[in-house]
């Protein structure tokens, strides 16, 4: 398990009251075919989310994962560019929760990019990134820009300022992993740094 000192920087504070956050907006220029006017897209580092269903229980220290076999709540949200994206039943899904809090997250991002570029991502698998955690709204280097530099290949669902999506999945820290079956049932969950071989093995067990 991660040390308590490292955890303090990765803890996802779930708001108990009103959360006031200044949202960084990154504006990118996209060329539009046949048009002389470029299209401006605002990339938001915090987005609203809607949770439907019961949240997963949070892990209990020293106990087996109490989320296994439970239904994952549906999460409807937005990408950095405000396109709709959801975590829902229908296809085997790997949810990877990240932010930029520490080296553990950076290492997991690099490992997953290498895994993908080695053509190891199963075609039947839906991979969704949950960008969550504190300090996204005040970061000098936005998470969206960092992921572009890392050549991150997976779609991103951006959490709200209260980390509501992370809380609904029982994620207390990042990095975190969740594997969901086609029926929307939890097959695997892990919080903290994890060798990439572990979730890959779990995925092979689920996908055959």
């Amino acid at each position: 398990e991660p040390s308590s000192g490292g955890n303090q920087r990765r803890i996802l504070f779930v708001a108990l009251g009103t959360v006031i956050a200044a949202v960084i907006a990154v504006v990118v220029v996209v060329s539009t075919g046949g048009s002389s006017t470029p299209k401006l897209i605002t990339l938001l580092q915090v987005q609203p989310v809607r949770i439907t269903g019961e949240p997963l229980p949070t892990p209990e220290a020293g106990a087996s994962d109490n989320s296994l076999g439970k239904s994952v709540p549906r999460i409807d949200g937005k990408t950095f560019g405000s396109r709709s994206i959801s975590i829902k039943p229908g296809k085997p899904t790997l949810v990877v929760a990240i932010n930029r809090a520490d080296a553990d997250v950076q290492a997991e991002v690099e490992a997953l990019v290498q895994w993908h570029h080695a053509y190891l991502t199963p075609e039947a698998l839906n991979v969704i990134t949950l960008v969550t955690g504190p300090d996204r709204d005040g970061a000098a280097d936005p998470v969206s820009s960092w992921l572009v530099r890392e050549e991150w290949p997976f779609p991103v669902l951006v959490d709200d300022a209260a980390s509501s999506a992370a809380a609904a999945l029982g994620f207390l820290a990042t990095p975190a992993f969740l594997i969901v079956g086609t029926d929307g049932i939890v097959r695997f969950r892990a919080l903290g740094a994890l060798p990439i071989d572990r979730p890959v093995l779990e995925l092979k067990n689920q996908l055959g």
Side-chain angles (χ1 to χ4, degrees):
E1 294 184 1
S3 65
S4 59
N7 276 348
Q8 289 178 354
R9 295 174 318 182
R10 297 195 297 272
I11 291 298
L12 305 181
F13 294 104
V14 179
L16 299 179
T18 302
V19 177
I20 301 176
V23 178
I24 280 188
V26 181
V27 177
V28 296
V29 179
V30 178
S31 62
T32 55
S35 173
S36 59
T37 304
K39 181 180 180 181
L40 301 181
I41 299 177
T42 300
L43 304 182
L44 300 178
Q45 312 306 301
V46 176
Q47 292 275 26
V49 298
R50 183 173 73 250
I51 314 296
T52 306
E54 293 296 321
L56 295 178
T58 55
E60 298 178 3
S64 57
D65 191 352
N66 51 5
S67 72
L68 298 180
K70 294 186 179 299
S71 295
V72 175
R74 174 172 175 142
I75 301 176
D76 295 298
K78 301 287 185 181
T79 64
F80 289 119
S82 297
R83 298 185 65 176
S84 296
I85 184 172
S86 302
I87 298 173
K88 59 184 180 181
K91 190 175 182 180
T93 300
L94 169 65
V95 180
V96 182
I98 62 173
N99 62 11
R100 295 206 62 196
D102 57 30
D104 284 343
V105 175
Q106 177 74 40
E108 296 290 0
V109 164
E110 292 175 359
L112 284 163
V113 169
Q114 292 172 8
W115 174 61
H116 176 78
H117 288 332
Y119 304 105
L120 296 176
T121 305
E123 292 184 4
L125 180 67
N126 185 29
V127 182
I128 295 181
T129 315
L130 174 61
V131 170
T132 188
D135 302 328
R136 287 172 291 136
D137 55 345
D141 184 17
V143 180
S144 57
S145 300
W146 165 57
L147 290 180
V148 168
R149 292 196 302 273
E150 295 294 332
E151 299 182 5
W152 188 250
F154 306 116
V156 173
L157 189 157
V158 182
D159 211 346
D160 63 15
S163 298
S164 300
L169 299 179
F171 289 164
L172 299 177
T174 60
F177 300 85
L178 181 74
I179 296 176
V180 186
T182 55
D183 53 4
I185 301 299
V186 176
R187 308 298 188 200
F188 173 80
R189 184 176 67 174
L191 278 64
L194 192 69
I196 190 61
D197 292 348
R198 178 70 188 282
V200 168
L201 176 60
E202 295 293 338
L203 288 171
K204 287 181 177 178
N205 291 338
Q206 294 301 318
L207 299 175

